Structures are given as structure tokens and as C-alpha cells.
Amino acid sequence: MDLENMLVGAGLAAKKAEIKKVFFYRICGTGMGACACLAKEAGFDVAGADMTFSPPMSTYLENSGIPLQSLKDLTKEELQKYDLIIVGNSVPRKSEFARFVEETGVPFTSFPSFLGEFVLKEKEVIGLAGTHGKTTTTFFLAQMLETLGEDVGYFIGGIIDGRAPSHLGKSKYFVIESDEYDSAYFQKISKFRLYELNDMILTSLEFDHADIFNSIEDIKNEFASVIPNLSGEIVANDDYQAIEELQQKFESKSWNIYGEKASSLGPANIEVLDGKSHFQIKLGNSWVKFETNIIGTHNLLNISSCILLLHKKGFNTLELQQSVASLGMVKRRQEVRGRFQGAIVIDDFAHHPKAINLTLDALRVKYPEKKLVTVFEPISATARSSVFQKDFKNALKKSDRVILAVNSLATTVGDGKNLDTKLMVEELSNEGTPADEVFTANELISKLENLCNPNVLVAVLSNRTCIGLWESNFVKSLS
């Protein structure tokens, strides 16, 4: 069987009734694990393997009754017992892992392709896309639909207390985090192009993922490939030039524009009173008041996008007001992890300059009396590069003190230079924001021991472990 015929396409999709046993190769990633749980829920016989298994995803998989094994113990003969292999996008093209899968002769595909073809075709799929806020907004929308009485299906690329990251649901609605990163080594297109989307919420659109995209135009092209196929609504934030350009290009589609601009539908008249946010959204011809427990303008923008979409779906004003009153947050989004020497310690996933700006703004609003110490680990491929050298510095200047947690890993951005953390420390310090760089968790903890007291707020910004901080004894010392 040649490689082209081994990939899921029209030929294999036509035979999907024959596919019963599915194997997930590198199952413990956030997307792969969530997809495996969905496949199990949809009635497939599911198993998987990976290099390592770490909570919470490993726990979800085990609780789902999915058999797991180490990749090093996996044989080609075992894989040949399956009808389909789902390959994670952590498998490089020129690797022994890719060759191992290809040499089995078993058909294989990516998890986005599997979801779109085998799980989502019968659903009304709402995609949550954009550079920032995808995970949080997906969770907001899922919670709102649940409050509105829907057993909604969802696929969320984050960790949530008390629930699995995916659920098939009995509702016609399925909400899915729809990111623009590529799908697999053999499918170098954005995941959302494979999800059979009906509607889209587009929260933001800026340059990111410099390891796979060369410009914002490359990212816009991915959206331009899916927007013409959307049969429903597009709810989009026009505070971003790239979104305005997409709207102009596809003006015949049903656009619902929100944002902070005066011409938008809101959110407007934002106030924070007694720990709750109050704001207004224009629904039809009327401005409607909403109250929520969620703080931060960027979060209110995300909630507003959900309100606008659900209003278009026919839910009434009173129902929508009730649906946003009490919402939970995804873990690692302004998550309070505890206190260290009396200082509040926040864990946040922010790793893009705009996300850092928004997060620090929100923390300033919520904790106005605290001295803000920001710990930032530039660890994604783009963050480790020099692409955002000045932007990171300018965002971090909103802090009273900055600690750069430096990982020695070089960037994988093509022809890219590494982020110059030493220069950033010098420039921040010279411009009035004292800064340091640290290289180990012990160094970082030592710095925090010298800085922390009850008047301090520590914001740890990292999309990994922050040079091992969250895997160290520091966690046990939090009260």
C-alpha cells in the first residue's frame, strides 16, 4: 500500500463503517487524548501509546478505560491489529516514529481529520478560533450552553477541574477549540480546516507560530480556505486588522462584529463592582446589561462573542443573562495556585506579547494594591526566537519587577535568532523596571524568597513548567 492511499481521504472515508479499532500514536498530548476519549465515547475500540504518561491527561485516559502502553514496547504486529492509526502532530516527518507507522501498512490520519470525518459530521459545529482566548472561550461557550439546557458536545484544549477535556453530548451543538497550528507531518494545514465547522467565533488574529508560518498572510490564508465553507454565523473581533481584511474579502458571509471599537456591538460600559463585571451588549436594536463573576476586559470580550452567537441561535435575553452569571475558568488562566510567604501566586498560560498585555492588565484591575512581580518563561518556538524581542519587553514593563526564566533550548524558527534575554533584562532595568534572568528552578525560588511578602502578587507566565518550577517542591510550599 503506498503512502497516499494509506492516508484517510475519500477512499477510506467511504469505508468508515468498517473502521472499528483505532490506535492513537502519541496519545497523551492534550488534543490527542481528548480525541481518544471522544472516539471511545462514540463507540470505537480505542487504545494508544506514548513516550511518557503524565497527569492530568493520563488520568482522564485511564478513567475512560483506554488501554495504554509505552511506545518502546509497541510492535508493528500489534498495530496491524487495528483498522486505523491516529498520528499525533508531535511525530516529525523525518523520524523513526513516522517510518514505524508507515511500515505497518495500516491506514493512518491526524486527529483533526478523524474528528471531522468520523465524529462531527452529524453535529452543528461551532469553532472557536483566533490567536488568543480559544481555550477559555470554548469553555465559556460550553458552560453557557449547559446552563441553557443543552447536553452540549465539546473539545477543549486545556485542563478543567472536575471534567474531561471532551464530551460527545446529545445536543445538536458541538463546540470545538479550533487552532491554526498544523495537523500532522503529512497534513500541513490548520486543524480547523478539518473540523466540518458550521459557525466560527474569531477572537483575534495576529502573527504567531513562526516555526510553521512566515507571515500573518500565511495565517490569513488558512482562514480564507475555511470561511467560504461556513454555513452559519461568523462572530469576530474587529480590533484586529487581519480580521477586518478577512471580513472585506468575504463580505457576503454573515458577520457579527464585536470589540472595543465604537462601531461594534460591545462590550460597552464595563465596570467592576464588588468583584463582579458589569457590561452591555447590543442585541438586535437594544443594549442589554450583563453581570458575570469573570474579571478582565479580554475575558469579557470572549464572553461577549458567545452571547452574540447564542442570540443568533435563538436564545433569549433573560436566558443569556443567566448563562454568564457564574462561569468557571480553565486551569492555568489567571489561576491562583496559593500563597508563598504571604504573596499570592498566579499561574497563567500567556506566551504571546498581546496575551501578556491582557493578562497583566487584568491582574492590575483585580489586585490594584499589590506589587506585581512577573515571572516569564519564553519557551514556545516563537517565544524563544527574536520575533517578539521588543514586544515582550514592552508588555513586561507593566510589571513592578520582572524575572525571566530562561531555558537554554534554541528556537526552531527557520533562520530565526534566539531571544536575547540578557539584552531584555538590561533594557527593562534601564527603563525603570528592575529585571533579572534565572536558569534553574532553584535560582527562581531563591529570587522569590527575597521578593515575596503579603503585599506582592507573583504572576508566573509559561505554557510549560517554567524551568521546572511547577514540578519542584515550590508547589508544596504554597499555602
Side-chain angles (χ1 to χ4, degrees):
M1 183 182 292
D2 61 50
L3 180 59
E4 182 177 353
N5 288 328
M6 287 168 62
L7 301 180
V8 167
L12 187 57
K15 300 178 181 178
K16 63 182 181 182
E18 302 171 15
I19 294 174
K20 307 295 184 185
K21 299 184 66 177
V22 181
F23 193 91
F24 283 76
Y25 193 84
R26 299 303 299 268
I27 193 173
C28 213
T30 303
M32 286 284 282
C35 183
C37 291
L38 268 184
K40 174 82 173 179
E41 201 175 347
F44 291 92
D45 184 352
V46 177
D50 213 322
M51 302 287 286
T52 58
F53 295 91
S54 302
M57 183 52 70
S58 59
T59 305
Y60 289 134
L61 293 169
E62 290 164 1
N63 290 342
S64 297
I66 295 174
L68 307 174
Q69 64 176 296
S70 173
L71 277 187
K72 64 182 178 63
D73 299 326
L74 185 65
T75 66
K76 292 176 186 175
E77 289 72 26
E78 286 179 273
L79 277 182
Q80 287 165 348
K81 298 175 183 177
Y82 289 85
D83 305 313
L84 181 65
I85 302 171
I86 313 297
V87 182
N89 74 346
S90 60
V91 175
R93 178 184 298 276
K94 297 180 179 179
S95 68
E96 60 181 294
F97 304 106
R99 289 196 303 274
F100 184 86
V101 170
E102 293 169 11
E103 289 172 0
T104 63
V106 178
F108 60 90
T109 192
S110 65
F111 86 74
S113 182
F114 174 80
L115 279 181
E117 188 61 48
F118 291 79
V119 179
L120 301 180
K121 273 194 177 293
E122 307 306 317
K123 296 283 189 176
E124 188 169 328
V125 184
I126 303 168
L128 287 298
T131 311
H132 316 294
K134 292 182 293 294
T135 305
T136 301
T137 311
T138 307
F139 189 36
F140 285 158
L141 185 56
Q143 292 175 86
M144 290 168 68
L145 280 162
E146 288 171 348
T147 301
L148 293 165
E150 299 285 339
D151 179 17
V152 62
Y154 61 80
F155 182 95
I156 301 172
I159 304 307
I160 313 159
D161 277 336
R163 67 164 80 199
S166 63
H167 174 56
L168 189 58
K170 296 178 181 177
S171 170
K172 67 178 180 179
Y173 297 115
F174 192 98
V175 299
I176 185 166
E177 180 173 343
S178 304
D179 75 82
E180 66 272 29
Y181 209 80
D182 58 12
S183 303
Y185 75 85
F186 47 84
Q187 279 183 321
K188 306 302 282 185
I189 60 174
S190 293
K191 295 186 184 75
F192 59 64
R193 290 176 60 176
L194 300 165
Y195 285 156
E196 301 287 333
L197 301 182
N198 299 96
D199 307 276
M200 177 181 284
I201 289 176
L202 183 47
T203 64
S204 48
L205 191 50
E206 297 186 286
F207 182 63
D208 198 5
H209 307 307
D211 52 329
I212 62 171
F213 295 117
N214 293 320
S215 68
I216 186 65
E217 292 301 317
D218 289 347
I219 303 175
K220 281 170 55 184
N221 288 340
E222 293 296 305
F223 281 91
S225 70
V226 74
I227 286 174
N229 300 322
L230 298 174
S231 59
E233 303 293 330
I234 304 173
V235 179
N237 184 347
D238 71 347
D239 294 334
Y240 297 85
Q241 181 180 342
I243 292 179
E244 285 189 344
E245 292 167 355
L246 284 171
Q247 183 191 5
Q248 292 166 6
K249 184 173 182 178
F250 300 102
E251 58 184 2
S252 64
K253 305 301 289 186
S254 180
W255 291 85
N256 305 271
I257 299 301
Y258 72 101
E260 295 186 88
K261 293 184 177 179
S263 62
S264 73
L265 301 174
N269 302 319
I270 297 172
E271 292 183 296
V272 178
L273 301 171
D274 299 323
K276 294 189 176 182
S277 296
H278 301 258
F279 62 102
Q280 292 180 311
I281 295 291
K282 192 173 185 180
L283 299 178
N285 296 319
S286 303
W287 286 93
V288 179
K289 295 180 179 179
F290 289 87
E291 178 185 296
T292 181
N293 61 312
I294 301 297
I295 305 293
T297 299
H298 62 303
N299 285 321
L300 300 185
L301 285 163
N302 295 335
I303 291 170
S304 299
S305 70
C306 299
I307 292 170
L308 288 165
L309 180 70
L310 293 177
H311 185 255
K312 283 288 187 178
K313 296 293 181 185
F315 294 99
N316 66 48
T317 297
L318 180 60
E319 290 175 322
L320 293 173
Q321 287 172 320
Q322 294 171 342
S323 75
V324 303
S326 181
L327 295 168
M329 290 287 288
V330 178
K331 289 179 73 65
R332 305 202 69 194
R333 271 66 176 181
Q334 297 173 40
E335 179 187 0
V336 177
R337 293 290 294 265
R339 289 181 179 266
F340 181 69
Q341 297 179 179
I344 298 171
V345 178
I346 300 287
D347 182 11
D348 197 274
F349 201 70
H351 56 280
H352 184 283
K354 182 62 176 286
I356 292 173
N357 268 303
L358 294 172
T359 297
L360 297 186
D361 283 344
L363 292 176
R364 285 293 196 191
V365 170
K366 192 169 185 178
Y367 304 96
E369 77 286 359
K370 298 289 186 181
K371 179 180 178 180
L372 178 58
V373 175
T374 300
V375 180
F376 173 48
E377 180 189 36
I379 189 59
S380 71
T382 307
R384 297 197 310 269
S385 77
S386 60
V387 171
F388 293 131
Q389 179 84 34
K390 291 183 180 179
D391 299 291
F392 279 140
K393 182 200 71 172
N394 292 333
L396 291 167
K397 283 170 68 175
K398 295 187 174 184
S399 314
D400 295 301
R401 181 100 185 202
V402 172
I403 303 173
L404 292 180
V406 184
N407 189 300
S408 60
L409 194 62
T411 183
T412 56
V413 171
D415 300 324
K417 296 180 180 178
N418 288 324
L419 185 73
D420 191 335
T421 53
K422 183 178 181 181
L423 175 63
M424 192 180 299
V425 164
E426 292 175 356
E427 291 181 341
L428 282 167
S429 298
N430 291 338
E431 295 172 23
T433 305
D436 301 282
E437 55 181 344
V438 296
F439 300 88
T440 68
N442 286 338
E443 285 183 81
L444 175 53
I445 294 168
S446 179
K447 287 283 184 186
L448 293 175
E449 287 173 343
N450 292 329
L451 293 171
C452 286
N453 60 61
N455 297 318
V456 168
L457 172 70
V458 179
V460 182
L461 311 182
S462 169
N463 65 338
R464 292 195 193 172
T465 67
C466 197
I467 57 173
L469 180 71
W470 297 125
E471 297 174 335
S472 72
N473 288 330
F474 174 78
V475 177
K476 296 178 182 178
S477 68
L478 297 177
S479 60

